[in-house]
Amino acid sequence: MRSDVVKKGVMRVSARAFFKGAGFREKDIAKPHIGIANPYSSFFPGHSHLNQIVESVSAGIWAGGGMPEVFGTIAICDGICLGTEGMKASLPSREIIADSVELMVRANSLDALVLVTGCDKITPGMIMAACRMNIPTIVVNGGPSLAGTWEGQRISSSNLGTGLGKRVQGLIDDAELSRMEEASVPSCGSCAGMFTANSMGCMSEVLGLALPGNGTIPAPDPARLRLAKDSGERIVELCKADIKPSDIITKQSLINAITIDLLIGCSTNTALHLPAIAYELGLDISLNDFDRLSKITPNICHFSPSGSFFIQDLDEMGGMNCLIKLANDAGLIEGGEKSVTGKTIAENAEYTVFETNDVVRSLEDPYIKDGGLAVLYGNLAEEGCIIKTAGVDPSIYQFSGKARVFNSEEEASLAVQNETINKGDIVVIRYEGPKGGPGMQEMLMVTSLLDGLGLGKDVALITDGRFSGATKGASIGHISPEAAVGGNIALVQDGDLIEYDIPNRKLNVLIDAEELNARRKAWVCPPPRVTGGYLERYAKLVGSVAKGAVTNIRG
């Protein structure tokens, strides 16, 4: 075992003394040392219950014959920092999470890992570290929250932006908005719809790194604690068999994940995280894979914010195994890929019984004939950009309008609040990419306000930043190259005509190459918005969003 180097032999007397000082016995120390990464935080629902999950995982590890070693990592809640400078820290935190887990594995010679996780950047960051260290690993999410109820309808936190838009217009008062606020998050767990956190929880199942149910069992359900105990027991078995992430995650399993992602209509952020996970294993996944697969994969789910269903509805149908079985039976995925259960993902789903309905439609009756995400290319996105088609009304699949250009999310948000954005406008928000932001903050505040003001079908938004999984409407993000490195989005001016065409995968500003070249000669990159500290280092190191925006650059 890897841990032998810290626990065996006369020269390790001090290490054993420290273990004993923490309450471990001689016979405990001799067992496999299983790290439990715990990003508990007391102040947001996605992580406020994780200590209880960790206790259940620990109980499972003890029962399985291992020694649990719990350590902490940071965790940022996008919902809290949304619309503030704090959002610049969200995506960069993924790299710190990955690095911190890596360092704990290295420093303590851990034999295996349980990744207890919940919200947006924590899950991919932890998986990246596990792939980098390549020791036996299992993922245990905290689970989705339950949907709330307001005025007879189910809602989640994503509806608050719409409520805010109504408040700006005077359609509701402060008291009504407060009642909506109090109803929107009725339990612990990550946001109730198919936002980034739950998208990645579901993807961990398809990748084979988690037990069935990991992505969908609601956080308050006792089944979540049972899953955690089962995962604790199972990681000891994986450790003894030395089954590592590289034995489970392959190019095909990543292709499977992208396919299921498109079936569901997951967050656009999966197009950042799956390539980053692949990168850690030396595998190549890019926007081209999303583009290729989106053209042949129907979208059969409309979870909030794209529709009225929530993760608890999918769980009641049988969870991710419904989608895995449906996709495997239809030949859309290769079900023979391994999983942490010791079975293939198809074998995990083999006995799942369900009837298709509006929660999970049949492949013959999809919501959209091609996938829930689309990759667009053109002179505004030479390396590609992403739109969540599952959240776009078909009436605006093709759109053109005059550019309203803003050099920050804050400027654009203020313009929307002041109701200076008009029908037919295309809002351009730039210098918000990984380098330019820095940190590639989400634009949910802007998109939610537009929706609340009734402009969701009349205004498009394009940015080199990114969007929350809660975003809906014609919101095109991840434009690459970004403005800060001289991408053409930096050259757009107010009044330029921009058009996008989702069916034909195009995004262009309608000015000729000669004019673009003239503007480029006159272009000067604005000075960095943040100097000093981690974000300055991040901006210098981070790579293209088209390749996952990783900082661990090789070669």
Side-chain angles (χ1 to χ4, degrees), residues 13 17 24 69 83 96 117 122 192-193 223 237 239 268 280 300 321 325 328 378 385 410 421 445 448 492 502 505 515:
V13 60
F24 293 109
E69 296 183 29
I96 287 186
T117 181
I122 295 87
E237 296 170 2
C239 179
T268 53
E280 297 292 349
I300 59 174
N321 275 347
K325 181 174 175 58
N328 183 63
C385 60
E410 291 83 2
I421 303 299
M445 183 68 74
S448 296
V492 177
I502 293 175
R505 304 297 197 262
E515 173 64 15

Side-chain angles (χ1 to χ4, degrees), residues 17-138:
F18 283 122
F19 284 128
K20 290 176 180 177
F24 293 109
R25 303 166 297 177
E26 191 81 39
K27 63 181 181 180
D28 299 330
I29 298 168
K31 297 173 181 178
H33 289 202
I34 313 295
I36 305 176
N38 179 15
Y40 163 79
S41 289
S42 64
F43 58 91
F44 62 96
H47 285 223
S48 61
H49 63 306
L50 292 190
N51 279 344
Q52 190 178 13
I53 300 288
V54 167
E55 289 173 4
S56 292
V57 170
S58 295
I61 290 172
W62 283 121
M67 186 179 99
E69 296 183 29
V70 182
F71 61 89
T73 68
I74 64 169
I76 289 175
C77 174
D78 287 13
I80 289 175
C81 61
L82 179 68
T84 73
E85 281 289 299
M87 183 54 83
K88 295 181 186 301
S90 177
L91 181 61
S93 75
R94 186 188 72 177
E95 312 308 304
I96 287 186
I97 292 161
D99 292 348
S100 66
V101 174
E102 172 199 341
L103 291 176
M104 289 301 288
V105 172
R106 289 188 188 278
N108 297 287
S109 300
L110 296 174
D111 296 308
L113 272 173
V114 180
L115 306 175
V116 175
T117 181
C119 291
D120 294 8
K121 310 308 168 297
I122 295 87
T123 303
M126 287 186 172
I127 294 175
M128 287 164 64
C131 292
R132 189 181 301 169
M133 298 311 299
N134 202 28
I135 64 173
T137 299
I138 198 165

Side-chain angles (χ1 to χ4, degrees), residues 251-468:
K251 176 71 178 268
Q252 183 58 55
S253 68
L254 287 157
I255 294 298
N256 286 348
I258 294 172
T259 301
I260 299 291
D261 179 320
L262 295 165
L263 281 172
I264 297 172
C266 287
S267 165
T268 53
N269 284 315
T270 57
L272 278 174
H273 301 321
L274 291 176
I277 289 167
Y279 182 84
E280 297 292 349
L281 287 171
L283 302 171
D284 182 24
I285 290 291
S286 70
L287 288 182
N288 291 332
D289 294 295
F290 284 84
D291 182 44
R292 173 176 58 83
L293 292 166
S294 71
K295 295 174 181 176
I296 58 173
T297 307
N299 171 232
I300 59 174
C301 300
H302 267 192
F303 294 108
S304 175
S306 303
S308 59
F309 300 106
F310 294 88
I311 306 300
Q312 65 202 68
D313 299 314
L314 178 57
D315 189 64
E316 289 171 5
M317 283 189 66
M320 287 301 295
N321 275 347
C322 296
L323 288 153
I324 291 170
K325 181 174 175 58
L326 189 152
N328 183 63
D329 288 351
L332 291 176
I333 63 171
E334 294 291 339
E337 294 297 301
K338 297 177 181 177
S339 79
V340 292
T341 65
K343 300 177 181 178
T344 67
I345 60 170
E347 289 170 338
N348 290 338
E350 184 177 2
Y351 299 109
T352 302
V353 178
F354 66 98
E355 292 185 7
T356 55
N357 52 32
D358 280 349
V359 178
V360 177
R361 286 192 173 182
S362 69
L363 295 172
E364 294 73 33
D365 181 32
Y367 285 102
I368 306 172
K369 290 183 179 180
D370 52 10
L373 300 178
V375 182
L376 311 183
Y377 295 93
N379 66 1
L380 274 182
E382 293 168 314
E383 294 178 359
C385 60
I386 287 282
I387 185 168
K388 184 174 180 176
T389 52
V392 181
D393 190 280
S395 66
I396 51 172
Y397 271 16
Q398 294 168 311
F399 191 90
S400 65
K402 290 184 177 180
R404 292 288 309 278
V405 181
F406 303 94
N407 287 342
S408 72
E409 189 267 348
E410 291 83 2
E411 291 177 19
S413 181
L414 186 62
V416 176
Q417 290 175 59
N418 291 337
E419 301 186 59
T420 62
I421 303 299
N422 302 309
K423 290 183 178 181
D425 286 345
I426 292 187
V427 177
V428 178
I429 306 178
R430 62 191 180 191
Y431 298 107
E432 290 291 7
K435 287 184 178 293
M440 203 182 184
Q441 62 185 2
E442 290 181 348
M443 306 295 160
L444 178 60
M445 183 68 74
V446 178
T447 57
S448 296
L449 282 169
L450 287 170
D451 185 61
L453 292 168
L455 294 171
K457 295 181 182 179
D458 300 301
V459 172
L461 191 156
I462 69 171
T463 180
D464 53 7
R466 62 190 177 89
F467 295 108
S468 163

